[in-house]
């Protein structure tokens, strides 16, 4: 009986945390006007510094074309910029502004 009670309590706690996380994501999306992937990408750039589009796409688990489009949208909004990669002149890095 005690073990069953603990299992149910744990399941309720997990469900409550999941619902809280969903509400927080919705709140942030409304507050910032950006979706989850955009917020996540900006967070990645803030924490880890400049990155290539391919690395950002991998971190967000989306394709490179979708990330390229997202980066272009964020650039138009003045939230990111692209700079030359000092290690590879053919590539560019995305940086948070």
């Amino acid at each position: 009986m005690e073990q069953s009670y603990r299992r149910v309590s744990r399941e309720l706690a997990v469900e409550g945390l999941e619902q809280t996380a969903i509400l927080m994501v919705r709140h942030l999306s409304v507050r910032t006007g950006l979706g989850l992937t955009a917020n996540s990408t900006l967070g990645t750039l803030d924490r880890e510094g400049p990155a290539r589009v391919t690395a950002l796409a991998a971190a967000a688990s989306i394709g490179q074309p979708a990330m390229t489009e997202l980066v272009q949208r964020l650039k138009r909004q003045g939230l990111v910029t692209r700079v030359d990669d000092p290690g590879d002149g053919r590539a560019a890095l995305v940086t948070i502004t």
Side-chain angles (χ1 to χ4, degrees), residues 2 6 8 11-12 28 30-31 36-37 49 55 59 78 89 91 97:
E2 175 84 19
R6 285 183 184 163
V8 170
E11 289 172 3
L12 289 173
L28 285 173
V30 168
R31 187 172 176 203
L36 177 61
T37 304
T97 57

Side-chain angles (χ1 to χ4, degrees), residues 42-53:
L42 290 171
T44 298
L45 290 170
D46 186 46
R47 282 187 315 279
E48 300 178 16
R52 290 185 179 191
V53 169

Side-chain angles (χ1 to χ4, degrees), residues 66-80:
M67 182 54 72
T68 298
E69 185 178 318
L70 174 60
V71 167
Q72 289 171 347
R73 196 167 65 240
L74 293 172
K75 186 177 177 185
R76 284 192 301 271
Q77 293 174 330
L79 299 172
V80 301

Side-chain angles (χ1 to χ4, degrees), residues 9-97:
S9 293
R10 196 171 327 153
E11 289 172 3
L12 289 173
V14 168
E15 186 177 320
L17 287 171
E18 182 179 346
Q19 291 300 316
T20 301
I22 290 168
L23 290 173
M24 286 179 63
V25 167
R26 286 182 186 162
H27 175 74
L28 285 173
S29 294
V30 168
R31 187 172 176 203
T32 63
L34 300 171
L36 177 61
T37 304
N39 278 312
S40 174
T41 299
L42 290 171
T44 298
L45 290 170
D46 186 46
R47 282 187 315 279
E48 300 178 16
R52 290 185 179 191
V53 169
T54 53
L56 293 172
S61 298
I62 63 173
Q64 185 175 347
M67 182 54 72
T68 298
E69 185 178 318
L70 174 60
V71 167
Q72 289 171 347
R73 196 167 65 240
L74 293 172
K75 186 177 177 185
R76 284 192 301 271
Q77 293 174 330
L79 299 172
V80 301
T81 188
R82 294 182 125 185
V83 296
D84 291 335
D85 184 341
D88 183 351
R90 301 168 295 167
L93 298 174
V94 179
T95 64
I96 195 167
T97 57

